[in-house]
Amino acid sequence: MNFYGRDFLKLLDYTEEEIIYLIKLAMEFKKKKQNGKRHDYLRGKNVVLLFEKDSTRTRCAFEVGAMDLGMGVTYLGPTGSQMGKKESIADTARVLARMYDGIEYRGFSQQIVEDLAKYADVPVWNGLTDEFHPTQMLADVMTMYEEFGEVRGRKLVFLGDARNNVANSLMVICSKLGIDFCCCAPSSLFPKTELVKKCREFARVHGSEILLTEDVEEGLANASAVYTDVWVSMGEADSLWKERIKLLTPYRVTKELMKKANPDAIFLHCLPSFHDTNTTIGKEIHEKFGVTEMEVTDEVFESKQSKVMDEAENRLHTIKAIMYATMKK
């Protein structure tokens, strides 16, 4: 497959075969990394990382991945560039494309990453926007491949705020890979109707189903993967915590809830997670609302069913696959 020069903005742009190819390529890179085999195939190239939203896994995965491939890396944080302030998106894209061989963007609007790709003549990769989180999805499904050997016919359930970028992207990738997807949440937090319709069209072609339900029993029946995310996303107002805690506490992933899924079901989370009070926000929520665990209990997070650390590591390998595939002639 020829990915050279392509952007990686959202999985709606990629076919089933292309997505699987990238995941398999990531698995090969993981083997090379584990076996200490050099794979600096992109020596002499340079990439720039534009971050309007801070991150641990996305930044580290792009930086280490680029260095493993032999590339130089420049990180520009929320105050590190003039993009959107003194310089337009178009001008920023054209300037950076003269200096770098690839551009990563992590921030708010999907339109920004689309505009960067429009004006830059080098590959642009979406590290996260408010609408989509495509690099995370490859790591999630790669983790399912490692656990189950095959993903087609499996069922993934997302519990929580199903309108966010993670839930949107999970629905897209599941619909394209023949994985049944269930959004289990209050109806007020269901994904947008237009995206659901589009994903149901993909699902019909690839032999899977999209289910939206408020019922936990229905949602978790026959589930192979149980997925959740924080209840208030980065960039949303802190004032939403009270409302979301009330709405989403019934959808907290507990040991009892995991028992409603298949016996071999795994737990996934894109991280960070508020599974205890060992964070500043966790402590604040506890002080204000008396809650010690939010979207998942510590018992589940630390259980054998939890594959969140494998999933986090796989961000490195999948991002490396994306960079290599789109930059190597």
Side-chain angles (χ1 to χ4, degrees):
M1 290 188 181
N2 184 13
F3 292 84
Y4 179 70
R6 283 185 67 178
D7 303 308
F8 190 79
L9 309 179
K10 56 187 182 297
L11 290 170
L12 290 169
D13 302 331
Y14 279 73
T15 66
E16 175 187 20
E17 293 76 17
E18 289 170 338
I19 293 169
I20 292 173
Y21 173 85
L22 289 171
I23 293 171
K24 298 295 186 183
L25 178 59
M27 294 172 86
E28 288 301 313
F29 276 130
K30 186 172 185 176
K31 289 179 185 176
K32 291 180 186 294
K33 180 82 170 176
Q34 290 175 336
N35 294 328
K37 292 185 177 180
R38 285 181 59 178
H39 44 283
D40 49 347
Y41 307 134
L42 297 177
R43 288 188 301 276
K45 294 186 180 294
N46 294 280
V47 297
V48 61
L49 313 181
L50 290 172
F51 276 59
E52 291 187 318
K53 287 185 178 181
D54 290 325
S55 169
T56 299
R57 279 148 300 282
T58 302
R59 176 179 176 178
C60 294
F62 269 102
E63 287 191 345
V64 175
M67 289 186 285
D68 281 354
L69 290 169
M71 295 191 287
V73 188
T74 299
Y75 170 78
L76 296 175
T79 60
S81 78
Q82 297 294 347
M83 184 179 72
K85 295 179 283 236
K86 292 184 178 180
E87 189 165 48
S88 69
I89 306 301
D91 288 354
T92 300
R94 289 183 292 179
V95 167
L96 292 177
R98 294 293 184 99
M99 301 181 184
Y100 294 94
D101 302 286
I103 301 170
E104 182 270 354
Y105 170 80
R106 176 185 170 93
F108 296 92
S109 170
Q110 178 71 19
Q111 190 59 52
I112 292 178
V113 77
E114 299 277 352
D115 286 345
L116 285 169
K118 178 180 178 181
Y119 292 103
D121 55 3
V122 298
V124 173
W125 313 298
N126 180 359
L128 173 144
T129 64
D130 289 344
E131 284 187 59
F132 296 109
H133 197 0
T135 61
Q136 177 68 50
M137 298 307 104
L138 296 189
D140 298 338
V141 175
M142 177 176 167
T143 307
M144 290 180 67
Y145 268 110
E146 290 176 333
E147 186 67 22
F148 302 118
E150 181 53 69
V151 298
R152 181 173 295 279
R154 294 280 175 175
K155 178 181 178 182
L156 184 147
V157 181
F158 180 91
L159 297 103
D161 179 6
R163 302 167 308 169
N164 74 10
N165 48 19
V166 170
N168 286 345
S169 298
L170 283 170
M171 183 164 60
V172 172
I173 197 168
C174 286
S175 69
K176 290 206 168 194
L177 298 187
I179 303 169
D180 291 335
F181 176 79
C182 173
C183 152
C184 191
S187 58
S188 60
L189 298 179
F190 281 175
K192 290 181 179 179
T193 303
E194 183 181 348
L195 183 61
V196 173
K197 181 180 178 182
K198 192 174 293 186
C199 287
R200 280 183 167 151
E201 291 171 0
F202 292 138
R204 277 194 291 273
V205 172
H206 297 288
S208 56
E209 296 181 351
I210 306 292
L211 171 67
L212 310 182
T213 182
E214 294 185 301
D215 188 288
V216 172
E217 295 274 352
E218 180 185 23
L220 288 167
N222 199 37
S224 294
V226 178
Y227 202 121
T228 192
D229 193 5
V230 294
W231 288 345
V232 176
S233 298
M234 188 183 298
E236 290 189 310
D238 289 344
S239 58
L240 288 171
W241 278 112
K242 184 177 180 179
E243 173 193 336
R244 295 284 173 82
I245 288 171
K246 182 179 178 181
L247 266 178
L248 293 173
T249 293
Y251 299 92
R252 175 184 291 134
V253 182
T254 63
K255 200 70 175 174
E256 290 69 34
L257 188 148
M258 288 296 295
K259 290 177 182 177
K260 301 179 188 298
N262 285 348
D264 65 346
I266 60 174
F267 171 72
L268 299 173
H269 194 306
C270 55
L271 301 181
S273 169
F274 298 124
H275 58 97
D276 55 28
T277 58
N278 296 330
T279 61
T280 302
I281 294 176
K283 288 175 184 175
E284 290 175 356
I285 297 299
H286 178 236
E287 290 169 3
K288 288 181 181 178
F289 307 109
V291 177
T292 58
E293 301 163 309
M294 279 180 271
E295 73 278 4
V296 59
T297 63
D298 193 58
E299 181 182 24
V300 171
F301 189 88
E302 299 293 351
S303 70
K304 290 183 178 179
Q305 286 178 289
S306 176
K307 304 300 177 183
V308 295
M309 296 305 161
D310 294 330
E311 184 184 7
E313 179 195 345
N314 287 340
R315 292 295 307 285
L316 167 62
H317 310 298
T318 49
I319 283 172
K320 195 184 297 184
I322 293 163
M323 290 192 291
Y324 173 81
T326 56
M327 295 177 73
K328 184 68 174 178
K329 286 186 178 180

